[in-house]
Amino acid sequence: MEAPPSKSFWVRIVSQGVVSVSQREKWARLAERWQDQGPPATPSLEDTENFAVSLRENLEVDKPTIGILGCTPSLRARLRREWPQSRIALVDFCNEMYLATSATLDESVTSQEDYFAVDWLNMESRIARQVDAFIGDKSLDNVDIDDWDNFFRSVAQCLRPGGLLVLHVGFPDPSLAGKSFESLIEPWIGKMAHDEVDLEHAAAGLWEDLLSGSAENSTTHLSLESYRDDLEKHRQSITPVGLLSARVLTDFASQLDARWTRFDQTDVTASAGTSAFGLVQTRYSRDYSAAPNQPVMVFRLLAH
């Protein structure tokens, strides 16, 4: 059996790019805790399976070079198991996130990865036409929608002809827009009372619902800022509401002021189309509350 490719590239300094300074700072603050969160903050087991199935069904080469937009540990481990002979290239603008997530993985995974500390909007300067498929968990959520055309252009220029782009995207739940804090937290209190979820997963689920609830406040971004006072008011209470509020503030404290891009499926397919990407598959998970609004979308580079 042919040996896996050796590690050939290592970068410590993040190159200058065009992803906003606020995004870099946000992920630097989150680096130590993000991988500990449950879905939808991180991929669920079914999300990870959907990535793997999407690649298996659509890759046209036996030993592909696969790029990950970000450093998601579960995706890195799964790719190494599924494609042990393949080159895995990580592309992330946050060096702190790379170091923190790599510390959670076995050396058998990390020693066979190439890490490119470059901007997603300017990747072609380092890895042009070297990748058979890119995958990304919530990558678009971290790119301003005004930069999407540049994002898809950069990905297209890194892919080989016919290459794949597999994205897990998070659409806000329209039924939650504008809902009060009390109406959003109550279902999660009920789930905890019936042992359907633990406190950690309830906090991640409530965080996502609060983002959807904020959709009424902006047509372009989501933010927890509008619920800050509610969370702070309840955090000192020794009640289920207080415990859950405190856990959200503990796990997502650095996110209260952060902005996430608001978009829908039409926005994604339209922008992808500007760089000759065509949608070939859409897969949905079922193992967490927000899953019906968070598909894995599979695009193929039709011509470039």
Side-chain angles (χ1 to χ4, degrees), residues 40 172-173 176-186 188 202-217 221-228 230-232 244-245 248-249 252 255-256 260 290:
D173 183 343
L176 302 182
K179 283 198 170 185
S180 68
F181 177 81
E182 289 73 19
S183 64
L184 292 173
I185 198 172
E186 183 178 351
W188 291 103
L206 176 59
W207 170 76
E208 189 77 20
D209 286 354
L210 293 173
L211 285 177
S212 288
S214 74
E216 186 178 69
N217 302 321
H221 293 92
L222 305 173
S223 172
L224 266 65
E225 176 63 27
S226 58
Y227 296 105
R228 178 196 292 271
D230 295 293
L231 290 165
E232 294 287 359
L244 183 51
S245 297
V248 170
L249 287 170
F252 301 100
Q255 293 300 290
L256 292 181
W260 302 81

Side-chain angles (χ1 to χ4, degrees), residues 26-71:
K26 177 181 77 176
W27 286 107
R29 293 193 304 268
L30 283 171
E32 293 298 330
R33 294 190 58 87
W34 193 255
Q35 65 268 21
D36 296 328
Q37 310 309 319
T42 56
S44 71
L45 290 175
E46 285 191 26
D47 290 333
T48 303
E49 178 66 16
N50 282 336
F51 273 112
V53 172
S54 297
L55 290 173
R56 284 201 304 268
E57 291 187 355
N58 292 284
L59 278 169
E60 297 177 343
V61 293
D62 293 331
K63 297 179 182 179
T65 295
I66 303 174
I68 302 179
L69 299 168
C71 300

Side-chain angles (χ1 to χ4, degrees), residues 1 8 10 39 69 80 129 132 140 148 157 177 265 274 277:
M1 179 180 292
S8 61
W10 177 270
L69 299 168
R80 180 52 56 199
R129 298 287 181 263
D132 296 296
L140 283 180
W148 277 14
Q157 291 182 6
Q265 185 161 330
T274 64
F277 282 104

Side-chain angles (χ1 to χ4, degrees), residues 233-248:
K233 179 179 69 175
H234 290 292
R235 71 179 305 173
Q236 301 300 330
S237 170
I238 308 178
T239 65
V241 171
L243 293 173
L244 183 51
S245 297
R247 184 59 183 258
V248 170

Side-chain angles (χ1 to χ4, degrees), residues 78-89:
R78 183 60 182 268
L79 291 185
R80 180 52 56 199
R81 290 198 304 271
E82 292 266 346
W83 290 274
Q85 303 300 315
S86 292
R87 176 189 174 202
I88 306 298

